[in-house]
Amino acid sequence: ASFTISLHKVDNTTVLIKLRPGVSPSCRMRTKNVIRSDLKIKPGQNVTFTFTCSTPEKYFIMEIQKNIDCVSGPCPFGDVHLYPPGLPRLNRTYIWDVKASTKAGLELKFSTPWLRQIEPGEMCPDSISYNISSSIDEATVNIGTFCRNGSVSRVKLLGGVVMSLHLPWHSLLTTSGFNIANRASIKRLCIIESTLKGESSVTLMSPNYPLGFPEDELMTWQFVIPSNMRASVFFHNYSLSNCERKEERVEYYIPGSPSNPEVFKLSDSQPANIAGSFNMSLQGCDQDAQNPGILRLLFQVVVQPPQVDENVTHLVDLSKEKNMTVTIHLEGWPSQIPLTSEPICLICKDRRTCDRVLTLSSGAVYRISFLCKDLSRLRITAEKGIGCVDIRWCQRKIYSLSVPKAITQLPIQLYKFIWKLLATDLINVEITSPSLKLQQHVPEQRCNTSYSYSIVSGTPETELNVGVFCPGGSIEKIQMRNNITISLKTFGKGFINESISQDLKMSFVPHIKDECTFTVSPNPKAKVYLQTPNWPYGLPPYVSISWFIVVPSKQTARLGFSRDRMGIACETGRAYVNIKEEAPGAEETVRREDELLPQPRDMRHSFWVNISNCRPVDKTQLTLQFWVTFADKQIDLGIILAVVAGAGVLTAIGLTVCCVKKKKKKTQNPMVGVYNANVNTQMPGKKGLFGKGRQNNESHVYAVIDDAVVYGHLLKESNGSVTPEVDVYRPFDGPMGSLPPSPPPFSFRKDIKRSCNTEEEPPPLMDTDQDAYTFAHQKSGQSKDNGDANEKDKGDTSVPLLENKEQDGLVE
């Protein structure tokens, strides 16, 4: 098919057809037997041409440019038409280049459905787009790129304007969709009017975005909003230039405001809950010539109907709190940004200071309100810091890790409360839950409460995820090194009721040797599962963890591991599992990483489990899980019978001994006391007990002599029998030492106590001059030669002769 393009000279329009960039020239144009790849038709020309292929839209594009001079003559104001007609179906761009004086203003007014500004690189759904540029002193400023179906109804510019419309080859659009009007000077770069009807939002950008706004320029956005609606402004992205003079700012003109214009910094929270229409202006500054920087702004205006409870305020008293922040935000913040089509939720510190995210700091009292149809979309995230520099000041202080009532009383669900516990290297953290206790979240024992605690121990170099815990378990106490982060996370609305009984507390304690120590006091009827921190990634190298399991006195614990080996190979050092009961003489069970773990075993006392890691050969780290159950102590029937039988035998022996002793006492000869000068009569450690020497006192003189006692020099051998003299005192002529005889040995006293109950118990030993003396006795039939007797005993005084005599009697 052939095409004919006829251009009137007065229209000042030029048509250019050229190959698309990057496309091979396999299709050409033919004019008067001339083959060409591009064609330019000037004003006043009439050209007929054909294409050498059936699909020229794949190879060619077309530009139609119309120059309009409003400086030397009158401007053709009114609707702008797509001229010339009868063009081939190619991707085409219409360009209107309007020259105008800077003392006059031009207005581009768009027909419905108006325009929507898009970011550079964004595509319009129907591939139809508008681009508006302004020309000032031969400098071109890109006002923006727009799609159809938006809220931008008019654009007013100072001086000349370049307006372009891009249409795809299949578009059936026959009108430009805008008109040009003359206006008085607007004394600023441009004015963009946005008309918002009903509940809606619009996103707009500063000229040249994302590049810099022109230096020391001023522009305005006019927002036309019904008086019964409320508008809020949000800055999503901005940057500031380096100013030498003036200050970059945003000014608002709000009808009815007593302080027009209201001036804000770009870093401030922008006005919200504005009733009806308003204007917003962006003012640049004189920039530093060496380092100008970039002023740019991307913002959103949201329009919504007034809320029923917008005048209801909620008191948040943080005056007594320290180092705490409370942030109210939409669910999913900050990773998820709500769509512009979603109803907006605003949190207000006062009637005009509202935002999607509001952060409150400790030490003040706030009255907040909500502009939100559905408060269930809002969440609270709070953070509190607790630190200790000197253990002397904070060791005895106990901190409560509970959520303040100022947060729980709000009609917003708490999402997370974070405690950051900071201490120096030699100070550690202890967490306790005295009544509720903590349960470790493991696959075999999952938490089903409305909230849980995530505990992380960290340094600038490493981080140890201690685990996830919930109330209602067996862990009474956790001691940890380094800085600790505890995050309380809620699940559902049940937290408000369950939070009343929170009892988690923390304190700072002196340095501990392990990375982490757990104290576990299980419920006697429960099976407790415990696992190493950093699950499932494993313990870091050279980390040691301990558990102290409390076993009640009337119960027995059973300890078992979930697998039979540690499952690692060490490159440096050794990995160990140590188990030891808290009992005198208890043996410690130790297993290395290359050995089988202990089989399930019974523990009758409280015990320790310690797991320490090495540096593994590969990336597989040490992960272990073990369990503990409890049962009542069972006494074996055989042991009971053995104890009863043993008691009976001992009773029978005792009775027999008493009877034999009584009988023997009646028949035996009176015992003879013989003084043995070779016996060691010194009490150990009791030197100098007597103040005077033996020769200077009368300690060897006896005041009372038993009937059966006579002195050895009177003994006479008479057929192995001895007939002692009774009631006869003879002076002692033998040698005397300087120390008194020794008191009875403990074995002698014990034998006396074990004798028949009818005998009186001897008085206890006293370190006095009245201590009982020990006599060496001669056995029946013993030679009267004392020297022979001494050679036989060789000074052995550990067992008195009297005791030997009693033993002989027992044998008889």
Side-chain angles (χ1 to χ4, degrees):
S2 63
F3 300 91
T4 300
I5 297 177
S6 179
L7 299 177
H8 299 94
K9 194 169 186 178
V10 294
D11 292 332
N12 203 15
T13 302
T14 302
V15 175
L16 174 64
I17 303 175
K18 58 184 179 180
L19 284 171
R20 296 174 59 183
V23 176
S24 60
S26 56
C27 185
R28 303 276 184 111
M29 289 179 292
R30 178 182 291 113
T31 59
K32 295 180 182 180
N33 297 325
V34 177
I35 302 297
R36 59 178 66 197
S37 58
D38 58 74
L39 175 63
K40 185 175 183 179
I41 305 172
K42 297 180 180 179
Q45 290 183 342
N46 190 344
V47 179
T48 301
F49 62 93
T50 60
F51 294 100
T52 61
C53 63
S54 60
T55 56
E57 67 274 7
K58 296 180 179 180
Y59 302 95
F60 292 94
I61 59 175
M62 183 166 49
E63 290 181 359
I64 305 100
Q65 180 169 335
K66 180 178 177 64
N67 298 320
I68 302 174
D69 186 2
C70 294
V71 177
S72 57
C75 285
F77 298 122
D79 292 337
V80 176
H81 301 284
L82 299 183
Y83 177 84
L87 298 175
R89 295 170 62 88
L90 303 176
N91 289 345
R92 55 200 181 275
T93 301
Y94 292 91
I95 302 172
W96 294 271
D97 188 353
V98 183
K99 305 294 183 182
S101 170
T102 56
K103 297 180 180 180
L106 291 176
E107 177 184 281
L108 305 177
K109 186 176 181 179
F110 301 95
S111 58
T112 54
W114 297 328
L115 302 182
R116 173 176 62 88
Q117 189 173 6
I118 60 173
E119 296 186 48
E122 186 178 349
M123 299 297 295
C124 295
D126 57 2
S127 299
I128 299 175
S129 62
Y130 293 85
N131 183 267
I132 305 173
S133 297
S134 176
S135 298
I136 300 177
D137 299 331
E138 298 183 358
T140 301
V141 178
N142 181 20
I143 303 300
T145 302
F146 302 83
C147 301
R148 298 196 299 172
N149 298 320
S151 64
V152 176
S153 53
R154 288 190 296 178
V155 177
K156 303 173 185 178
L157 302 110
L158 181 66
V161 60
V162 177
M163 178 73 179
S164 63
L165 168 62
H166 175 78
L167 299 176
W169 67 271
H170 54 78
S171 174
L172 301 177
L173 190 67
T174 57
T175 60
S176 65
F178 71 97
N179 62 49
I180 300 177
N182 187 15
R183 289 292 180 265
S185 176
I186 58 176
K187 299 181 180 180
R188 59 199 66 203
L189 176 63
C190 66
I191 299 174
I192 298 177
E193 181 183 86
S194 178
T195 303
L196 297 161
K197 295 181 178 181
E199 190 169 358
S200 58
S201 68
V202 58
T203 300
L204 298 165
M205 286 146 272
S206 58
N208 280 343
Y209 187 89
L211 301 178
F213 185 69
E215 181 179 6
D216 196 24
E217 278 292 349
L218 172 66
M219 74 158 293
T220 299
W221 290 271
Q222 291 180 338
F223 297 97
V224 181
I225 299 170
S227 59
N228 63 339
M229 302 298 285
R230 302 290 183 267
S232 302
V233 181
F234 305 99
F235 286 3
H236 294 310
N237 187 20
Y238 69 89
S239 64
L240 303 175
S241 58
N242 298 315
C243 298
E244 280 190 345
R245 291 186 301 122
K246 300 181 182 180
E247 185 179 10
E248 295 165 338
R249 62 190 184 273
V250 179
E251 297 179 354
Y252 292 87
Y253 181 84
I254 302 173
S257 174
S259 56
N260 280 323
E262 297 185 18
V263 180
F264 290 80
K265 295 180 180 179
L266 275 73
S267 57
D268 293 337
S269 293
Q270 303 302 310
N273 202 27
I274 303 172
S277 302
F278 68 97
N279 293 349
M280 176 185 127
S281 299
L282 176 64
Q283 174 66 64
C285 67
D286 291 335
Q287 299 173 348
D288 184 354
Q290 301 297 325
N291 184 21
I294 292 177
L295 170 61
R296 60 186 172 191
L297 172 63
L298 183 147
F299 67 99
Q300 183 184 23
V301 175
V302 178
V303 177
Q304 58 187 358
Q307 302 301 313
V308 176
D309 57 349
E310 66 177 89
N311 295 324
V312 178
T313 59
H314 302 269
L315 181 68
V316 183
D317 187 358
L318 304 180
S319 58
K320 297 181 180 179
E321 299 291 341
K322 295 181 179 179
N323 301 323
M324 189 171 83
T325 59
V326 178
T327 301
I328 305 174
H329 55 86
L330 281 171
E331 186 178 12
W333 172 88
S335 58
Q336 298 179 8
I337 299 175
L339 300 175
T340 55
S341 59
E342 293 182 2
I344 193 168
C345 276
L346 298 179
I347 309 101
C348 305
K349 281 198 294 187
D350 53 56
R351 185 173 179 84
R352 290 277 299 283
T353 307
C354 305
D355 208 336
R356 283 174 169 163
V357 178
L358 179 63
T359 299
L360 309 176
S361 300
S362 56
V365 178
Y366 302 90
R367 294 186 180 274
I368 64 173
S369 59
F370 302 99
L371 298 179
C372 185
K373 287 184 178 180
D374 185 8
L375 292 180
S376 65
R377 298 174 57 207
L378 294 177
R379 295 292 184 270
I380 298 175
T381 297
E383 182 175 309
K384 183 178 179 66
I386 303 175
C388 179
V389 178
D390 192 339
I391 192 66
R392 294 175 298 176
W393 295 103
C394 41
Q395 182 175 5
R396 297 181 180 179
K397 190 170 183 179
I398 298 176
Y399 301 86
S400 175
L401 302 185
S402 59
V403 180
K405 290 183 179 180
I407 295 176
T408 57
Q409 69 185 6
L410 289 174
I412 308 297
Q413 179 181 334
L414 175 68
Y415 170 65
K416 187 179 290 186
F417 198 108
I418 303 170
W419 290 273
K420 292 192 173 182
L421 314 178
L422 309 176
T424 58
D425 292 340
L426 298 179
I427 302 175
N428 299 138
V429 173
E430 179 178 283
I431 301 171
T432 59
S433 181
S435 57
L436 293 179
K437 301 182 185 178
L438 296 177
Q439 172 190 320
Q440 188 172 15
H441 179 80
V442 297
E444 294 79 6
Q445 206 168 40
R446 296 182 179 274
C447 292
N448 57 1
T449 55
S450 63
Y451 65 99
S452 67
Y453 299 99
S454 174
I455 303 177
V456 177
S457 169
T459 63
E461 297 81 18
T462 60
E463 187 174 273
L464 180 68
N465 185 3
V466 179
V468 176
F469 304 86
C470 56
S474 304
I475 301 173
E476 286 185 346
K477 181 170 61 178
I478 307 175
Q479 290 182 323
M480 293 166 287
R481 293 163 59 180
N482 306 320
N483 295 329
I484 307 299
T485 299
I486 302 176
S487 301
L488 182 152
K489 188 175 181 181
T490 64
F491 308 95
K493 298 179 180 179
F495 170 73
I496 297 177
N497 296 327
E498 293 188 11
S499 65
I500 299 174
S501 59
Q502 288 182 88
D503 72 335
L504 195 67
K505 295 177 173 57
M506 66 79 55
S507 57
F508 294 101
V509 296
H511 188 70
I512 61 174
K513 65 174 183 176
D514 292 325
E515 195 75 25
C516 189
T517 301
F518 298 84
T519 299
V520 185
S521 180
N523 187 322
K525 298 181 180 179
K527 185 174 184 179
V528 180
Y529 288 91
L530 299 166
Q531 65 187 18
T532 51
N534 238 35
W535 190 278
Y537 306 106
L539 289 177
Y542 308 120
V543 167
S544 176
I545 309 293
S546 292
W547 292 261
F548 180 65
I549 316 296
V550 178
V551 180
S553 59
K554 296 183 180 180
Q555 290 193 310
T556 300
R558 188 163 182 82
L559 168 68
F561 289 86
S562 298
R563 61 170 187 254
D564 57 355
R565 288 185 179 273
M566 296 190 204
I568 62 170
C570 292
E571 178 182 6
T572 307
R574 288 286 193 180
Y576 290 97
V577 172
N578 300 58
I579 305 169
K580 187 175 182 180
E581 285 188 280
E582 285 280 292
E587 294 185 0
E588 185 174 5
T589 301
V590 181
R591 293 290 188 273
R592 292 192 319 234
E593 80 282 352
D594 56 352
E595 297 175 328
L596 290 173
L597 292 172
Q599 293 296 318
R601 58 180 56 198
D602 292 334
M603 316 293 284
R604 295 184 172 271
H605 305 87
S606 300
F607 61 95
W608 286 92
V609 176
N610 175 268
I611 299 175
S612 54
N613 197 13
C614 61
R615 179 178 291 278
V617 173
D618 51 18
K619 294 182 179 180
T620 303
Q621 297 293 340
L622 176 59
T623 58
L624 274 183
Q625 185 187 87
F626 61 93
W627 49 263
V628 180
T629 59
F630 285 88
D632 293 335
K633 286 185 177 178
Q634 301 293 332
I635 302 178
D636 192 4
L637 183 59
I639 295 176
I640 296 175
L641 294 176
V643 171
V644 173
V649 170
L650 291 176
T651 303
I653 293 174
L655 291 174
T656 303
V657 169
C658 288
C659 293
V660 171
K661 290 279 289 179
K662 248 181 179 180
K663 184 176 180 181
K664 182 148 184 94
K665 191 171 184 182
K666 292 180 180 178
T667 59
Q668 71 180 359
N669 291 329
M671 304 188 69
V672 180
V674 180
Y675 182 83
N676 187 354
N678 293 325
V679 175
N680 180 12
T681 61
Q682 181 178 358
M683 181 185 293
K686 297 292 183 179
K687 291 184 179 181
L689 186 65
F690 290 85
K692 297 186 293 184
R694 173 110 180 186
Q695 297 176 356
N696 299 328
N697 65 20
E698 297 180 352
S699 62
H700 61 290
V701 179
Y702 295 84
V704 178
I705 302 178
D706 292 343
D707 294 343
V709 177
V710 294
Y711 288 93
H713 69 281
L714 299 178
L715 292 176
K716 293 183 180 179
E717 187 173 353
S718 176
N719 296 328
S721 63
V722 177
T723 305
E725 293 183 18
V726 181
D727 292 336
V728 178
Y729 174 78
R730 299 289 176 87
F732 180 71
D733 299 328
M736 292 188 298
S738 61
L739 295 174
S742 300
F746 287 103
S747 59
F748 177 74
R749 293 160 55 204
K750 290 178 182 177
D751 289 342
I752 293 175
K753 291 180 181 179
R754 283 195 298 264
S755 62
C756 186
N757 294 335
T758 59
E759 299 180 5
E760 293 182 1
E761 185 173 338
L765 290 176
M766 302 293 290
D767 293 341
T768 64
D769 289 352
Q770 287 77 27
D771 283 350
Y773 290 175
T774 300
F775 293 89
H777 300 280
Q778 187 176 11
K779 290 184 182 180
S780 177
Q782 184 178 354
S783 173
K784 67 179 181 179
D785 188 357
N786 292 336
D788 295 340
N790 293 341
E791 286 180 6
K792 291 179 182 178
D793 293 334
K794 211 66 179 178
D796 185 6
T797 62
S798 60
V799 180
L801 295 179
L802 178 59
E803 192 170 13
N804 291 340
K805 186 69 176 178
E806 290 181 357
Q807 292 177 0
D808 293 342
L810 289 177
V811 174
E812 292 175 359

